[in-house]
Amino acid sequence: MKKILTAFLSCAAVIAAAQPKPSGNLVQYVKPIIGTQRMGHVFPGATVPFGMVQLSPETDTPSYELNGKYNPDVYKYCAGYQYDDKTIVGFSHTHFSGTGHSDLGDFLIMPTVGPVQLNPGTADKPGSGYRSAFSHANEVSAANYYKVKLDASNIIAEMTTSTRVGFHQYTFPKSDNAHIILDLMAGIYNYPDKNVWTYLRMVDDSTVVGYRSTNGWARTRTLYFAMTFNKPFIQMGYKKFDKREVYGGFWGKFARVKNFPELAGRQLKTFFDFKTEEGEKIKIKFALSPVSIDGALNNMKAEIPGWDFDKVKNDGQAQWEAELHKIVIEGSKDEKEDFYTSMYHAMINPTIYMDVDGQYKGLDQNIHKAEGFTNYTTFSLWDTHRALHPLFNIIDPKRNSDMVQSMMAHFDQSPEHMLPIWSNSANENWCMSGYHSVSVIADAVVKGNAPFDANKALDACVATARHRDYEGIGYYMDLGYIPDEKNGNSVSSTQEYAYDDFCIAQMAKKLNRMDVYEEFNKRAQNWKNVYDPKTGFMHPKMADGTFRKNFDPFTTINQGFIEGNAWNYTLYVPHDPAGLIKMMGGNKRFITYVDSLFSYNLPDKYFAETEDITKDGIIGNYVHGNEPSHHVAYLYDWTDKPWKAQEKIRMILPRMYKPTPDGLGGNDDTGQMSAWYIFSSLGFYPVAPATDQYAIGSPAVQHAVVQVGDGKTFTINVKNQSDKNVYIQKITLNGQPHPGMFLSHSDIMNGGEITFVMGSKHK
Amino acid sequence: MKKILTAFLSCAAVIAAAQPKPSGNLVQYVKPIIGTQRMGHVFPGATVPFGMVQLSPETDTPSYELNGKYNPDVYKYCAGYQYDDKTIVGFSHTHFSGTGHSDLGDFLIMPTVGPVQLNPGTADKPGSGYRSAFSHANEVSAANYYKVKLDASNIIAEMTTSTRVGFHQYTFPKSDNAHIILDLMAGIYNYPDKNVWTYLRMVDDSTVVGYRSTNGWARTRTLYFAMTFNKPFIQMGYKKFDKREVYGGFWGKFARVKNFPELAGRQLKTFFDFKTEEGEKIKIKFALSPVSIDGALNNMKAEIPGWDFDKVKNDGQAQWEAELHKIVIEGSKDEKEDFYTSMYHAMINPTIYMDVDGQYKGLDQNIHKAEGFTNYTTFSLWDTHRALHPLFNIIDPKRNSDMVQSMMAHFDQSPEHMLPIWSNSANENWCMSGYHSVSVIADAVVKGNAPFDANKALDACVATARHRDYEGIGYYMDLGYIPDEKNGNSVSSTQEYAYDDFCIAQMAKKLNRMDVYEEFNKRAQNWKNVYDPKTGFMHPKMADGTFRKNFDPFTTINQGFIEGNAWNYTLYVPHDPAGLIKMMGGNKRFITYVDSLFSYNLPDKYFAETEDITKDGIIGNYVHGNEPSHHVAYLYDWTDKPWKAQEKIRMILPRMYKPTPDGLGGNDDTGQMSAWYIFSSLGFYPVAPATDQYAIGSPAVQHAVVQVGDGKTFTINVKNQSDKNVYIQKITLNGQPHPGMFLSHSDIMNGGEITFVMGSKHK
């Protein structure tokens, strides 16, 4: 009954979204261009919520190597697009959103006129290849819609998507020499051997299918496609850039140089010739599948049977409306653009990774069928366990439990028998530290959002956490910490494991698995083992129990921490702030410590070491652009000066999030940065997922209504809101004064109303 | 009803085979070692009839390149084994039988003791690698069983198979340092980029699974495997030989150098460590699948659930007994060895290409399920349409019709929309000339063995034959021949197309598709267009209708013919010998011409040009080692001197087929050479498949009983048989004098008895 109800509600939400809401159109506030300048690593192109396709322009895809060495420019192009660039190379179908590592960029398409050019050329030499100059004045970037004029050809490029299909619409000038290039060599984070194999087959004169196998960040990955034009191409040509053509001679059997119905090789580019009238639209449907060519064809047929571009665009935008309407805020246009673009960025990843028939490829390289859940990939869990999944547990619990089930399937298929660390297209890339899947799973279980076998999920968590062979866990289990000699992230990993173990303990308690609770509750204290009372920091500890002598709490290099220095990471005990405060000398000393974090003037030499963020991502020594400090401002709630939390949060919000191309202070990290914004704007934050507790900050919205399921709403009223009135004077919950600085999950999910009265002076 | 009956009979045959037959054990006469010396290109290892697995030793697998150039030694190793070699490199699971091109050699396994060596080393330096010396004295090569002692380690290697699973049994000496090497880099016809990708996953401490993707003769091919040991390995190690290790760093997450549960890369070798007692047997089951890892595991489970080596060996040999018993002959031991080894070689290819559940990968790169038939690959049709498929139409019609259905599935999945030319593992390699699938299909239809949609099959034949773009067909259709300027095989292709068109016409006639009949019966005359009455040869003809001036009827190079010279190819009009004789000047001149073919003393310079065969494969200018002349000796039946056919055939038989390692005069050509032997030994031959006619030669057996289905037998009695009594004096069929030198298909299939009375003088 529950399942049926959920499905019904889900449909109802879509239907409701298709009708105008009193709150009006929210998609208008989504500006995908926000964060495309500098290090946001987001893309401006088209996608639907959690879509498999992210159809977006590449302004460059630098080679991984430059003069035989790693090319640092590659990092800028994680999402393929840099706002300051003047040219577009083409439009590809897969993009990470806000990651700190790159891959994808599959199946680059570019429309051109004139002689066929199969190299993109360089940005500094117009006409040197198929790339084109463009201008932001001729560019529209919206939810599920991207449009740009290509100056080289006067072609208007438009694109939209369904979950598994990209839809291109190119308005051509009159030309006897019009082309669509399909570059199977192009890709993001390309290096010479990244393409393992590509294959293309012509089904008829308007459809080709194939696949691309790559050895990228996803080590062993194949993505299948089906591509259909709205009119027959005159002919298809190709060029093979492989060094070796051992079997190329077989083509000699055929009296042709074009229209080979089957092509295969490591390095292939193809093009399709057309004649176009002035203003003629060449449309392309481009479907993906992780399973098979037939899977891609089925996805296309199921999702976009016709050729109505506007319908596809509108359907996708209606999906966005439905998602955005889950939180309706009042605020200025800028605030709404920040908020709804954050909502948008929060709902791109994880991505759906299965065909319409439920089939997907697993980590075991077998094809599986998702029974009773939607399968997802692109889990950047070191980032997203903090606030993104907790956000889903409020506004989209069904989807979050599907993600948990995807993680459990990952566990079942994992050759290492571990839950995901960072999963990408049925691959584990082991990126970053901790085993934070357990936080996501425990958060769902503790919050009662577990329509899955929770005991089995606990077993998977325990197996992962006991994987002695993985990144120091054996030492951690034996010694209570990871010795500095044994691991470069010995301190931060010890801290993260301790938090994750707390999550397992909470989940075990909820499931009445008290033996597991005891074991992991004990492990959850292990952060204490790396605190050095002499220095007052979490500090690298040697195998012999002594703390390391050579130590700099400001540097992130070789100090036992990952993406953070000791000063920041020392505060990373999200599950026991009270214990941490006591350990660090009590309320007053702790406040001084956190204050100094924000006020410290970090010398440039340290900034240069800080990964993933622009200088704007740092406030003093507080690094918002990296995640380990995301909870830090809220720690004041555990002191006698919670107003300091309010002050800091209202300082961070406008500095780190602006409705401009350079508006993100660092990688969006597949939505975690955005989720922080959403929670913090609403006035509360999940400092320790896997508890039911939220710490109160300072709401930045004027008013908000959050859909919490079953038709219930949680309304946030903010009185006397202004940029200066950042301090909470009074809180009432459902009309009753609300004591303390915490909310429980049920306070929110039961529905109701919270009212914040704000003022310019702290209480 | 018919289908049920067929299935019942098929079971009955297996059951019957398991019981001793009056005719005794025939497997004893199978000597797979025959033809392993020089150019037979057969393998000595284990396989069941038409099995997917051919588990056999490699004595070498030379690199495709030597000093940057093609290495001609590669050709010798098409089947991986050369009798004269002194060392064995290992045992791999897939081998072509008798082909003129190479590929396969997947998943090489080698047992060793002592320090692990992952390079095979060279034959001239014992101990330089994992290869081992061996001696033929310590080698047993039988149907579905191969055994050899590896001198380097004193390991006794034994192997047997089921259809989809190889079963290894290695008897070790006592060793604390015993290993099984699994070399994923090894392969036949290897060149540096042949491995596209390899993947291996450890399921548990005794099972690993994975796949190998290659760009070989099959351009785009993936073969999956599952490998299980009979006892846990102590550990698994590996070495990656890739130049690039971009993502190798991820393994740094794990505190281990062995036992990685997942490995992937282009160039991988692995090894498994054991401790062994004296005489301990390490057994390995190694299953293949063209579909998936799960497919391989399922195949293993279904075919070899246990560990009983002898049972698997006996079951496979019982399958061979059942096949061999389809023709029970009397003769000397040598004759039986020749005959039953020919039967064996005739029943290795085509190979089964689907999992136990009927799934297989198609040419369209999708997974298909074979409904109502068994799917086959390895169709070397330029060779096998001549006698091998006609043989199957007599002794194994169900299997032959399954092969036809496999060819029709190939057509449906073919990107070119063509029937197979030479299909290999869901790939078309376009090897050799003609479109001889149509001969196989038409032969089945004309002979009434068509439990498939014959009209659909005819449509596929017609579509293939009208594929204007393919190897001169457009010219052929427009001009009635292929101009010399347009194609290197212009003459032989014209002749072969003409024969194939005759086949289509016969099939169309049978199906009452008279429009098709008219069109293709006309095309069947096209051979006449390339006959030059001035030279008396089939002769390259220019687009302007003149015959080429520069012409040498003895050379095979650049004369318009493939694998044959004009002298031989001129006789290639299998569907109209009478018309050919007339064209060539009548009975007497024709006899002189054919006589001279056998008696001509071909100068060495021409021999050097002749592909695929040893010098023993040539008699005068008659090239038995290549197929275009296989029907030639029988052409005397259309003259007034059929005794010359008898004389020539009895001369060819013992010269081209001997029960010794060097006993084959050329590549066995996936069974065509053997099928010629079988037919010719029995006394008749299908000169023109797609007719119901067999030309009578001179039986070499003393007596034979052929199972022709439904429990019926066709018995061949030979009276006064001897090496000298090669001339037929009298023929009676079912007790009645049989006039003429031809038999019809129904003469055979109705069952009955033919009696040849032989003598030393021709009549």
Side-chain angles (χ1 to χ4, degrees), chain B residues 657-675:
Chain B
Y657 303 86
K658 299 180 199 121
T660 52
D662 67 346
L664 294 183
N667 305 162
D668 192 61
D669 290 323
T670 72
Q672 167 58 25
M673 291 281 281
S674 290

Side-chain angles (χ1 to χ4, degrees), chain A residues 589-607:
Chain A
R589 289 186 64 172
F590 184 78
I591 290 171
T592 305
Y593 183 101
V594 182
D595 285 353
S596 74
L597 183 75
F598 287 101
S599 62
Y600 187 80
N601 189 6
L602 195 68
D604 276 357
K605 72 162 185 167
Y606 294 116
F607 168 69

Side-chain angles (χ1 to χ4, degrees), chain B residues 462-575:
Chain B
V462 168
T464 303
R466 285 187 189 147
H467 199 299
R468 298 184 62 91
D469 196 34
Y470 180 72
E471 204 165 30
I473 290 178
Y475 298 111
Y476 173 85
M477 289 172 71
D478 294 341
L479 303 174
Y481 67 99
I482 304 169
D484 184 50
E485 304 96 312
K486 301 299 183 187
N487 190 291
N489 318 321
S490 64
V491 188
S492 56
S493 286
T494 298
Q495 292 176 265
E496 294 187 17
Y497 293 163
Y499 162 68
D500 289 335
D501 292 343
F502 165 83
C503 296
I504 295 174
Q506 296 312 108
M507 185 180 171
K509 196 169 157 191
K510 172 111 181 180
L511 297 171
N512 201 27
R513 296 268 295 271
M514 295 314 287
D515 52 333
V516 175
Y517 171 77
E518 297 296 343
E519 174 185 346
F520 283 88
N521 194 47
K522 187 162 171 247
R523 285 170 55 147
Q525 317 302 317
N526 279 344
W527 62 272
K528 294 172 183 167
N529 298 333
V530 287
Y531 182 78
D532 180 0
K534 281 193 194 155
T535 59
F537 293 108
M538 303 292 175
H539 194 130
K541 195 172 190 174
M542 314 309 288
D544 67 4
T546 63
F547 286 99
R548 194 171 81 182
K549 296 204 176 73
N550 181 9
F551 177 66
D552 175 350
F554 294 107
T555 182
T556 55
I557 294 178
N558 192 25
Q559 295 293 303
F561 302 93
I562 188 167
E563 280 200 22
N565 59 19
W567 202 288
N568 278 273
Y569 247 109
T570 293
L571 296 169
Y572 183 75
V573 188
H575 55 298

Side-chain angles (χ1 to χ4, degrees), chain B residues 703 713-717 732-736 747 751-755:
Chain B
H703 181 267
T713 56
F714 182 66
T715 299
I716 297 157
N717 296 312
T732 56
L733 182 65
N734 299 322
Q736 302 297 314
D747 289 340
E753 190 172 44
I754 191 167
T755 301

Side-chain angles (χ1 to χ4, degrees), chain A residues 451-519:
Chain A
F452 48 78
D453 185 340
N455 275 294
K456 189 177 170 214
L458 178 62
D459 293 339
C461 291
V462 168
T464 303
R466 284 186 191 150
H467 200 298
R468 297 183 64 92
D469 196 34
Y470 180 71
E471 205 166 27
I473 290 178
Y475 298 112
Y476 172 86
M477 289 173 70
D478 294 341
L479 303 174
Y481 67 99
I482 304 169
D484 184 52
E485 305 96 314
K486 302 298 182 187
N487 189 290
N489 317 321
S490 64
V491 189
S492 56
S493 286
T494 298
Q495 292 176 264
E496 294 188 16
Y497 293 163
Y499 162 67
D500 290 335
D501 292 343
F502 166 83
C503 296
I504 295 173
Q506 296 312 107
M507 184 180 172
K509 196 169 157 192
K510 173 110 180 179
L511 298 171
N512 201 26
R513 297 268 296 270
M514 296 314 287
D515 53 334
V516 175
Y517 171 77
E518 297 294 345
E519 174 185 348

